[in-house]
Amino acid sequence: MRTITTTEQLASFCEKAKAGPYVTVDTEFLRERTYYSKLCLVQLALPGEDGEAVLVDPLAKGFSLEPLYDLFRHKGTVKVFHASRQDLEIFFVEGNVFPEPLFDTQIAAMVCGFGDQVGYETLVRKIAKQSLDKTSRFTDWSRRPLSDAQKTYAIADVTHLRVIYEFLDKELRRTERQKWVEEEEAVLLDPETYTNRPEEAWMRVKTRTNSGRFLSIVRELARFREDYAQTRNVPRSRVFKDDALLELASTKPSTVEELGRSRLLLREGRKADIAEGILAAVKAGMAVSPEDYPKPDTSREQLQVNTALADLLRVLLKAKSEQAGVAPKLIASSGDLDALAAGEQTVPALKGWRGEVFGSDAMRLCRGEIALSAKGGAVRVVPV
């Protein structure tokens, strides 16, 4: 196992990778103490059972990842990841770059019938016929030197990935489902997927009331917390947690003394700069006029769902997913089915490959153009 610790070594390896059809990639990072993930290690492997596999140490002094970013921009080499969302977020935040073309083996495995959110360990066992030693999974990847156990664990995340990629790529070509995977990966390659705007942070806070005044304060508190966390690169929970945010929106403290009576605000949230920000946010929320109150999306809650039709759609989904060999949850969620049964026609299940597999027949069922019949253990679509 070779560990790359200089930019020149990385550039040399990446030039080799550019000459090949693909390179497998994984990362190890920490996020417990920061807002943005701290990249601690990158693993890379070239094709072939004996293809070179290396560990890249981004924490080495004077090190630059620009050669890796250049490889990511090279269209002639496929970049293979498993469950790539967090990895891509790191590279987007740190280097403003996405690896293209991308191949995500978790998405490909779901399309190939391996179930919903299938894990890497499962694919290693089922496709590569190997087992993984997971004892180093939760170690501190920022500490140096890395142990031999850590290195062995880390390199396995890209060496077995070669066999998995080649198997899934071949299967996708056989079934002509490459476009299905590309549609799913388009979300991962969209900068909006990784953009957290402070003014929209309140939408992630679960509340039990839709009171305009209360939500206005929630919005300002969440905006302050998000901006503070991003600016100082600390976790949101280090500023204050959601339960404290809701308590503050309810009690509406206007002075430091009133703030001090909070039961849920931890010591970190009582520091001067955070305390001042909280009081300013509460004041700003109180000053919002009724016409500018935040408006939560309650459209799904107000749907008039035809429950009998929703049940039929669930049967149709099960039949179609089994026929296609794809996990039902990848095609449509329970909420999507309820929306369809309420007359909604903008759900993801009606678009792209989902529309081909399920959506078109789902709409025909809603319009009364088809019925479902059962024979033995099979469900069939019958024109009406």
Side-chain angles (χ1 to χ4, degrees), residues 223-350:
R223 185 205 307 265
F224 162 70
R225 179 177 67 175
E226 196 75 14
D227 184 66
Y228 186 97
Q230 288 181 1
T231 302
R232 291 162 177 79
N233 194 23
V234 296
R236 296 184 192 95
S237 60
R238 183 78 64 83
V239 187
F240 47 82
K241 296 182 179 180
D242 280 3
D243 57 356
L245 186 154
L246 295 174
E247 180 195 42
L248 294 167
S250 178
T251 57
K252 309 177 188 61
S254 59
T255 66
V256 173
E257 289 73 24
E258 291 178 359
L259 184 64
R261 300 189 192 112
S262 169
R263 295 182 301 106
L264 301 176
L265 191 64
L266 301 179
R267 182 171 57 184
E268 189 79 14
R270 299 174 188 272
K271 291 182 177 179
D273 54 346
I274 296 179
E276 291 172 7
I278 289 173
L279 296 176
V282 172
K283 183 177 181 180
M286 292 287 290
V288 174
S289 56
E291 60 268 22
D292 293 325
Y293 284 162
K295 297 175 177 58
D297 183 5
T298 59
S299 56
R300 285 290 175 100
E301 298 173 11
Q302 298 170 358
L303 290 176
Q304 300 297 312
V305 179
N306 182 330
T307 54
L309 179 56
D311 288 341
L312 286 175
L313 287 167
R314 285 173 171 80
V315 175
L316 177 65
L317 175 61
K318 186 174 187 300
K320 289 293 185 177
S321 65
E322 288 179 353
Q323 182 181 333
V326 180
K329 289 183 180 179
L330 186 61
I331 300 175
S333 67
S334 180
D336 288 339
L337 300 181
D338 287 341
L340 284 171
E344 289 286 315
Q345 297 186 19
T346 58
V347 298
L350 300 179

Side-chain angles (χ1 to χ4, degrees), residues 180 183-184 320 330-332 347-364:
W180 297 19
E183 284 183 34
E184 299 304 299
K320 289 293 185 177
L330 186 61
I331 300 175
V347 298
L350 300 179
K351 302 174 183 176
W353 70 268
R354 291 178 173 84
E356 298 173 19
V357 172
F358 169 74
S360 59
D361 276 345
M363 290 306 300
R364 291 171 66 200

Side-chain angles (χ1 to χ4, degrees), residues 40-286:
C40 298
L41 194 69
V42 181
Q43 304 97 280
L44 303 167
L46 300 180
E49 187 176 342
D50 297 322
E52 186 178 9
V54 298
L55 305 176
V56 179
D57 186 359
L59 303 182
K61 187 176 181 180
F63 193 86
S64 170
L65 284 174
E66 187 53 40
L68 180 62
Y69 298 153
D70 190 50
L71 171 61
F72 284 174
R73 289 186 283 263
H74 179 66
K75 304 291 187 181
T77 302
V78 177
K79 272 63 73 171
V80 181
F81 291 76
H82 180 81
S84 62
R85 192 188 188 286
Q86 289 185 298
D87 302 314
L88 299 192
E89 181 179 16
I90 292 172
F91 295 126
F92 173 67
V93 170
E94 294 204 0
N96 193 31
V97 63
F98 286 118
E100 298 186 73
L102 169 72
F103 189 101
D104 188 308
T105 56
Q106 185 177 71
I107 294 173
M110 287 192 286
V111 168
C112 290
F114 282 85
D116 184 51
Q117 300 289 310
V118 60
Y120 179 67
E121 187 175 7
T122 299
L123 295 183
V124 170
R125 185 177 68 254
K126 290 187 174 181
I127 297 176
K129 310 300 181 185
Q130 300 289 330
S131 60
L132 291 177
D133 179 2
K134 307 295 286 185
T135 55
S136 296
R137 184 176 183 181
F138 298 110
T139 58
D140 184 348
W141 293 99
S142 66
R143 297 186 65 179
R144 295 295 184 270
L146 295 173
S147 68
D148 288 342
Q150 284 178 305
K151 293 179 181 180
T152 300
Y153 166 86
I155 209 70
D157 281 346
V158 287
T159 52
H160 298 310
L161 196 55
R162 297 178 294 205
V163 178
I164 294 169
Y165 164 68
E166 291 179 7
F167 175 89
L168 293 174
D169 183 55
K170 183 178 180 180
E171 185 65 12
L172 290 173
R173 294 179 189 278
R174 183 186 69 80
T175 57
E176 298 183 344
R177 292 181 178 180
Q178 300 99 314
K179 291 287 185 183
W180 297 19
V181 175
E182 290 170 7
E183 284 183 34
E184 299 304 299
E185 290 171 344
V187 177
L188 297 173
L189 298 172
D190 184 353
E192 283 297 308
T193 301
Y194 311 100
T195 301
N196 293 320
R197 296 181 177 85
E199 63 272 18
E200 298 174 354
W202 69 278
M203 299 178 186
R204 295 192 297 270
V205 180
K206 294 181 180 179
T207 64
R208 294 183 178 180
T209 175
N210 288 332
S211 161
R213 177 71 65 201
F214 180 80
L215 289 179
S216 293
I217 301 173
V218 168
R219 179 174 63 184
E220 296 307 316
L221 285 168
R223 185 205 307 265
F224 162 70
R225 179 177 67 175
E226 196 75 14
D227 184 66
Y228 186 97
Q230 288 181 1
T231 302
R232 291 162 177 79
N233 194 23
V234 296
R236 296 184 192 95
S237 60
R238 183 78 64 83
V239 187
F240 47 82
K241 296 182 179 180
D242 280 3
D243 57 356
L245 186 154
L246 295 174
E247 180 195 42
L248 294 167
S250 178
T251 57
K252 309 177 188 61
S254 59
T255 66
V256 173
E257 289 73 24
E258 291 178 359
L259 184 64
R261 300 189 192 112
S262 169
R263 295 182 301 106
L264 301 176
L265 191 64
L266 301 179
R267 182 171 57 184
E268 189 79 14
R270 299 174 188 272
K271 291 182 177 179
D273 54 346
I274 296 179
E276 291 172 7
I278 289 173
L279 296 176
V282 172
K283 183 177 181 180
M286 292 287 290

